[in-house]
Amino acid sequence: MKINHMLKYFISFLIIFFFTINSSSTESNDTIEKFGIRAGIDLNKVIRSATNKDYKGFSINGDIRIKESLYIFSELGNEEKQVNSYYINSNIKGSYIKTGLNFKLTRDVGIQNFVYSGFNIGFSKFDQLINSYTIYNTNSSVWGESTINEPIVLSDLNAIWFELLFGIKTEIFNNLFLGIELQLKSVVSQKNKDEITNLYIPGFNKTYDSSKLGAGFSYRISYLIPVVKK
Amino acid sequence: MIKYFFLFFTITTLYNCESDDICPESTLTTPRLVVTFYDVNNPEVKKNIESLGVYIVKNSELILISEINGINTDSIAIPLRDDESVSNFKFCKDFSEDSTVIPSGLPNHVYLNYEINENFISRACGFINNYNLYDALPFDPTSNQDTVNWIYEITILNDSITNENQSHVKIFH
């Protein structure tokens, strides 16, 4: 069901990109060797889903070159994460979209091997469920601890964040790319309910009480669908 | 360029290592009920209780609060029950630790009825309870047995229990 949904997004995504390409390729006359949409998935999410019991996630991404060293990037994803501690057991589930610009930092145009930097704006819509919680009471030795198993449902939460990123991409086979990307993120605004912190934001990653910052890591495999070859 | 990449990598990984997951001991915890003792003949003056011991009454069993085991004091802080909105105590005057009798000394029942409000504190500590005190009685309203009453009256000073900075309940004896 989820994959089906993703597929729908993915296809519409591709269609939009094809249109953009068709309209922009006529006016571009720079020395781009390969030109097209690069579409891929985040392997980090696939690996985490397979190895961690408390995480399930998937994302697709695409980028398109609009200038010699300028790319428009976009990613769509869905994540589900359990955040458990001694006092709280919670489950966060939701989808996100992020989009932004990537700048190629290496000069050599011909080689499809490059370092880039950029920024993204992300938006996430999610639900947080507090399954059970234990009241924090340093004097609980007297009466005993009180654990409440009545879930608290916090639905329709959202967050907007900004991220700065740094990445390396390399062409391992013809048109097939592997890349690592690191993101430093900052929440711009978020909606929470009952004054309960959003413990995890899909797409943003783990949140911190002490600051609005966060960090992310992507390990992407992507395929460049050649549209125009000059 | 690779140099910057590694710098960025170090910053982001270090950031991820920051621990926000341990509940620090300095965190505001669930408050206890602060009880002060006053002289019934002179209601403005605090009066010490000689050798006070306090038991909790949980499932008709008496368990002594270990810090209140025969102390001379004019104020105490007692934790309230978190899983129920009623707490029962036995306040014992002339308590003796050596006594094998439970309760030891002169017991007086204290009944407290309140509303529990859960407050979210932080990711690591979760929720604490605050209370809204409804009734504070020097007897057990559920039993008609009369006990030795050295407490004349209990008055609620502050029905909202959110911290331990001021007294919530006055006991006259």
Side-chain angles (χ1 to χ4, degrees):
Chain A
M1 192 61 202
K2 206 162 70 188
I3 299 293
N4 236 334
H5 229 73
M6 285 299 220
L7 217 63
K8 232 188 289 178
Y9 276 128
F10 189 57
I11 291 162
S12 45
F13 204 63
L14 285 182
I15 291 166
I16 292 164
F17 267 176
F18 271 109
F19 277 120
T20 348
I21 264 191
N22 284 339
S23 57
S24 63
S25 58
T26 46
E27 59 200 40
S28 81
N29 54 354
D30 46 26
T31 54
I32 295 165
E33 200 172 274
K34 278 178 180 169
F35 194 88
I37 318 155
R38 194 162 25 210
I41 60 162
D42 188 349
L43 286 176
N44 184 33
K45 287 192 172 63
V46 176
I47 294 165
R48 271 173 78 195
S49 302
T51 54
N52 288 12
K53 261 191 278 175
D54 56 1
Y55 177 85
K56 244 186 267 168
F58 188 74
S59 79
I60 52 160
N61 61 74
D63 66 55
I64 174 172
R65 192 187 237 175
I66 51 165
K67 286 265 169 62
E68 189 189 314
S69 37
L70 188 66
Y71 298 78
I72 291 179
F73 170 84
S74 204
E75 183 175 289
L76 275 168
N78 193 298
E79 282 187 308
E80 185 177 348
K81 171 99 174 105
Q82 284 175 27
V83 179
N84 296 329
S85 68
Y86 184 77
Y87 293 104
I88 295 185
N89 284 301
S90 64
N91 190 69
I92 296 102
K93 200 175 172 177
S95 308
Y96 71 92
I97 181 166
K98 61 186 192 184
T99 190
L101 292 174
N102 288 350
F103 308 94
K104 188 171 164 182
L105 298 174
T106 32
R107 280 267 146 242
D108 34 344
V109 180
I111 303 163
Q112 296 286 346
N113 217 351
F114 63 98
V115 178
Y116 64 94
S117 180
F119 62 84
N120 278 330
I121 302 264
F123 175 77
S124 179
K125 203 172 165 304
F126 55 99
D127 298 334
Q128 179 166 281
L129 187 75
I130 312 273
N131 293 310
S132 69
Y133 52 102
T134 300
I135 300 295
Y136 173 62
N137 188 344
T138 47
N139 301 298
S140 62
S141 59
V142 176
W143 286 102
E145 271 179 343
S146 159
T147 300
I148 291 113
N149 290 310
E150 240 171 89
I152 302 175
V153 183
L154 308 157
S155 50
D156 275 328
L157 306 170
N158 59 55
I160 298 170
W161 70 93
F162 181 80
E163 56 188 49
L164 276 175
L165 55 96
F166 222 123
I168 303 178
K169 227 170 226 161
T170 184
E171 189 171 12
I172 47 167
F173 292 108
N174 191 30
N175 291 336
L176 191 68
F177 291 80
L178 213 53
I180 323 171
E181 188 184 288
L182 292 166
Q183 303 116 17
L184 196 62
K185 319 182 187 207
S186 176
V187 173
V188 177
S189 81
Q190 60 178 321
K191 179 179 155 194
N192 41 8
K193 280 187 184 165
D194 298 349
E195 287 167 34
I196 297 170
T197 310
N198 294 329
L199 301 168
Y200 187 94
I201 299 171
F204 179 86
N205 230 338
K206 189 187 164 183
T207 60
Y208 296 88
D209 279 354
S210 46
S211 81
K212 287 182 167 154
L213 297 181
F217 167 74
S218 298
Y219 179 54
R220 296 197 181 105
I221 186 156
S222 49
Y223 184 74
L224 178 75
I225 305 157
V227 177
V228 181
K229 213 167 183 180
K230 286 190 178 175
Chain B
M1 222 28 96
I2 297 292
K3 202 166 65 188
Y4 290 112
F5 183 82
F6 279 107
L7 187 70
F8 196 76
F9 185 85
T10 320
I11 293 168
T12 44
T13 37
L14 276 181
Y15 197 80
N16 260 333
C17 290
E18 184 208 350
S19 184
D20 248 7
D21 299 335
I22 296 156
C23 184
E25 295 222 345
S26 57
T27 311
L28 185 74
T29 182
T30 297
R32 290 172 295 178
L33 178 86
V34 179
V35 182
T36 41
F37 298 99
Y38 282 81
D39 190 346
V40 67
N41 302 315
N42 204 346
E44 295 303 305
V45 179
K46 280 187 186 175
K47 185 182 166 192
N48 264 16
I49 292 195
E50 305 296 317
S51 192
L52 174 73
V54 174
Y55 295 90
I56 64 162
V57 185
K58 190 181 179 186
N59 313 325
S60 36
E61 216 180 296
L62 296 185
I63 305 158
L64 186 72
I65 299 177
S66 53
E67 308 97 82
I68 312 168
N69 54 349
I71 50 173
N72 298 332
T73 182
D74 61 5
S75 73
I76 54 167
I78 49 172
L80 297 179
R81 189 167 183 168
D82 282 325
D83 55 348
E84 266 177 32
S85 57
V86 168
S87 291
N88 286 291
F89 297 92
K90 290 266 188 239
F91 281 40
C92 300
K93 216 162 98 165
D94 305 325
F95 175 89
S96 160
E97 237 188 323
D98 306 324
S99 167
T100 48
V101 187
I102 291 175
S104 149
L106 269 177
N108 195 124
H109 198 95
V110 172
Y111 168 93
L112 298 162
N113 175 18
Y114 45 86
E115 177 190 48
I116 296 174
N117 299 310
E118 289 153 7
N119 273 3
F120 185 82
I121 291 299
S122 69
R123 140 197 310 279
C125 309
F127 296 82
I128 63 163
N129 277 349
N130 282 340
Y131 314 93
N132 225 335
L133 194 59
Y134 292 147
D135 303 301
L137 307 170
F139 56 87
D140 185 357
T142 57
S143 100
N144 30 22
Q145 238 181 332
D146 248 320
T147 44
V148 187
N149 284 320
W150 55 269
I151 295 176
Y152 285 86
E153 201 191 352
I154 303 181
T155 56
I156 298 172
L157 263 181
N158 220 314
D159 62 356
S160 153
I161 303 159
T162 56
N163 59 55
E164 298 175 5
N165 298 340
Q166 77 249 74
S167 173
H168 306 113
V169 162
K170 264 185 177 178
I171 288 185
F172 295 96
H173 68 106

